[in-house]
Amino acid sequence: MCSEFAGPARRRIGILLFDGVKMLDFAGPAEVFVEANQSLNGYQVVLLSPDGGEVSTSIGARVEVAGAAADAGRFDTVVIPGSERPLSTWATPQVLAAARHLSARTRRLASVCSGAYVLGELGLLDGRRATTHWKFTTDLARRYPRAAVDPDAIFVRDGTLYSSAGVAAGMDLALALVEEDHGADVARRVAQSLVVYMQRAGGQSQFSASLSGPAPRTPLVRAVVDLICADPAAPHTVQSLAAHARVSVRHLTRLFRAELERSPAEYVAFIRFGVARDLLHSGAGVTEAAMAAGYGSSEALRRAFVARLGISPRKYQQRFRSTGSAGAPLLAVVGS
């Protein structure tokens, strides 16, 4: 990326599109920048494709672009959205060449969701912090071991390189860029107008299917898992679990790590957290959920939620129990 940019009064925002691009990955951030223009004439959004031709999005809609990436000139910010299709079908040599061209002609470079793979393929993540959608973080870290992948961040800034989790997180990132450019008041007005959070509490773990995991492969581990799941509130210890399985603590720990990628104690905590989370989803109170899951107190459950998700059980329940108007309000940005 170039280190200097003598930009015009309106910051040019280039967004690279391609066949299979996820619609919200680019439409969400684009709307943030366009909405900011209601407060100031600050942005010009330019849609591009590798060859200047229209593209077919994830929902089948065809989108016309302003031109080819190679002919577009310089930008203040370039955004690379992602796709949920197999990487080889959309991160083509043509897309990578267009992204490489644009990355050398912008002040800031940002990816949304799996767009981070494009940055990785170009070597731009080497030695840098980055993130992507939670379901891609493990693979991103494996493919690009020189990158420091943060699996929980909504978005990450490392110098002039930005990356975000999936879909709506692209709007979070765009709001942060607007705030960086024009201050918190403008960003707040944009958030209020779009009825979104200006800044969401917690990381993307609160939205992930993080309580899924590998299944036991052997009858011994399955028996211990069944014991834990049957009564998660029981005073399980590695010693009691090993005694139940009639093996040594060391052997049981080795089997758990090999099959479940957790120690026995970590697995007990994992199950208890899942039970508490499900109870909160069903409408149970925080104290009720804590006691039923084996935490012993609502404060212990609160500490577990803050440690894992960055928010309290009560706030989590307000956000995820219901999308209906009868529940707690999901947003409180207008007039804030």
Side-chain angles (χ1 to χ4, degrees):
M1 289 178 288
C2 55
S3 58
E4 295 181 0
F5 177 81
R10 299 181 75 198
R11 298 173 186 265
R12 298 186 79 219
I13 309 295
I15 304 180
L16 179 62
L17 306 187
F18 46 83
D19 285 336
V21 63
K22 194 168 183 67
M23 190 81 167
L24 279 177
D25 277 7
F26 75 87
E31 288 289 357
V32 169
F33 293 118
V34 170
E35 190 65 33
N37 285 340
Q38 300 295 319
S39 298
L40 47 86
N41 190 25
Y43 297 103
Q44 177 190 9
V45 175
V46 183
L47 302 182
L48 307 164
S49 69
D51 61 2
E54 67 177 21
V55 303
S56 177
T57 71
S58 58
I59 64 171
R62 302 198 66 82
V63 176
E64 293 185 0
V65 301
D71 302 327
R74 304 178 76 85
F75 289 91
D76 177 80
T77 305
V78 165
V79 178
I80 311 293
S83 173
E84 293 206 32
R85 296 182 181 179
L87 184 63
S88 61
T89 67
W90 65 269
T92 62
Q94 293 77 19
V95 170
L96 295 178
R100 180 178 291 108
H101 178 87
L102 292 170
S103 69
R105 292 162 177 81
T106 186
R107 181 176 68 89
R108 299 182 299 205
L109 181 63
S111 66
V112 178
C113 194
S114 59
Y117 283 97
V118 173
L119 305 188
E121 288 296 305
L122 299 181
L124 297 175
L125 297 185
D126 292 353
R128 312 290 285 272
R129 291 181 61 244
T131 195
T132 185
H133 191 287
W134 55 265
K135 63 186 177 184
F136 299 132
T137 52
T138 299
D139 184 62
L140 189 75
R142 180 186 61 80
R143 286 177 181 265
Y144 313 109
R146 295 183 62 188
V149 178
D150 186 337
D152 194 41
I154 297 293
F155 63 86
V156 167
R157 174 186 178 182
D158 189 328
T160 56
L161 188 74
Y162 300 73
S163 54
S164 73
V167 190
M171 298 180 72
D172 294 298
L173 173 56
L175 281 167
L177 295 177
V178 170
E179 181 176 6
E180 186 178 300
D181 294 339
H182 300 292
D185 287 344
V186 172
R188 185 175 297 108
R189 286 196 294 272
V190 173
Q192 290 172 342
S193 181
L194 296 177
V195 198
V196 298
Y197 287 105
M198 183 171 172
Q199 182 176 5
R200 283 185 283 176
Q204 59 172 318
S205 294
Q206 62 187 299
F207 305 97
S208 75
S210 59
L211 295 184
S212 61
R217 299 194 299 269
T218 62
L220 188 152
V221 174
R222 164 55 68 188
V224 176
V225 165
D226 288 346
L227 176 69
I228 296 168
C229 293
D231 189 4
H236 299 297
T237 66
V238 64
Q239 290 80 10
S240 68
L241 295 173
H244 176 80
R246 298 182 180 180
V247 296
S248 68
V249 166
R250 181 177 180 182
H251 184 57
L252 184 66
T253 300
R254 183 167 59 248
L255 288 175
F256 262 66
R257 290 198 180 279
E259 297 186 29
L260 305 178
E261 301 175 358
R262 295 174 173 86
S263 71
E266 289 168 339
Y267 191 80
V268 170
F270 167 81
I271 293 300
R272 286 175 174 167
F273 189 83
V275 169
R277 195 158 84 160
D278 288 346
L279 287 168
L280 292 173
H281 285 170
S282 68
V286 174
T287 299
E288 179 186 353
M291 300 305 293
Y295 281 94
S297 70
S298 58
E299 176 57 25
L301 181 59
R302 189 195 69 80
R303 289 197 298 267
F305 262 75
V306 170
R308 284 177 179 261
L309 305 183
I311 57 175
S312 70
R314 180 63 63 198
K315 287 185 177 179
Y316 177 87
Q317 187 177 50
Q318 289 172 346
R319 293 183 183 189
F320 293 97
R321 179 181 172 187
S322 173
T323 58
S325 58
L330 297 181
L331 298 177
V333 293
V334 179
S336 61

